[in-house]
Amino acid sequence: MHCRLFVFGAVVALAQSVQAQVICEVKGCPTQFDLTSISENRSYAVLIAAPDVGCRRVRFRVEAGDTEFLGHTPPLGPGDLAVVRVGRGFAAGEHILTIASEGCDTRPAATRRVTLAKLSPDHGWRASN
């Protein structure tokens, strides 16, 4: 009996620590995203993944500067991905964007910069045979 209670307690503690990583106490859970631009003529997007746990539905809003709206995801379920097009006009260098949640106070599970309309192939991708 004591062994079962210990295992149950360990599972609950683990689940709470996983949720603590993505759930936050601040409304909208604003998270910084560093966008590195190589040219203001390039068009960019942000790939955003919803966390696997903690929220049934969440929408992420991408902003620049002092709440300049750039775009948002559709409502995402656990583990869903979406691409938010943020456009062009980012001078070469670092730009700090903010990703905030709507509907559930959580951080994205993962984010990644996407360069749109590239003329060269993505060298990280390997063709399947």
Side-chain angles (χ1 to χ4, degrees):
M1 177 71 165
H2 292 293
C3 184
R4 279 192 233 159
L5 286 176
F6 175 76
V7 171
F8 177 74
V11 169
V12 169
L14 179 61
Q16 288 176 345
S17 75
V18 169
Q19 284 185 341
Q21 293 174 5
V22 292
I23 300 293
C24 67
E25 302 295 323
V26 178
K27 179 81 173 146
C29 203
T31 305
Q32 284 190 345
F33 176 77
D34 297 324
L35 174 72
T36 303
S37 173
I38 57 172
S39 168
E40 66 181 34
N41 295 324
R42 293 280 177 128
S43 186
Y44 296 102
V46 180
L47 175 69
I48 301 174
D52 289 330
V53 296
C55 297
R56 287 177 24 138
R57 288 276 179 231
V58 63
R59 180 179 222 166
F60 292 101
R61 176 183 174 93
V62 181
E63 301 171 345
D66 294 333
T67 67
E68 176 190 348
F69 177 75
L70 297 176
H72 57 76
T73 67
L76 302 175
D80 286 349
L81 299 170
V83 173
V84 178
R85 296 172 182 269
V86 295
R88 61 182 70 230
F90 295 95
E94 299 291 320
H95 300 272
I96 297 177
L97 305 181
T98 300
I99 300 174
S101 62
E102 298 174 347
C104 182
D105 293 328
T106 188
R107 290 182 176 86
T111 56
R112 181 176 179 205
R113 181 194 78 176
V114 178
T115 304
L116 301 172
K118 290 179 11 178
L119 299 176
S120 64
D122 183 354
H123 297 288
W125 177 79
R126 292 179 7 191
S128 60
N129 294 334

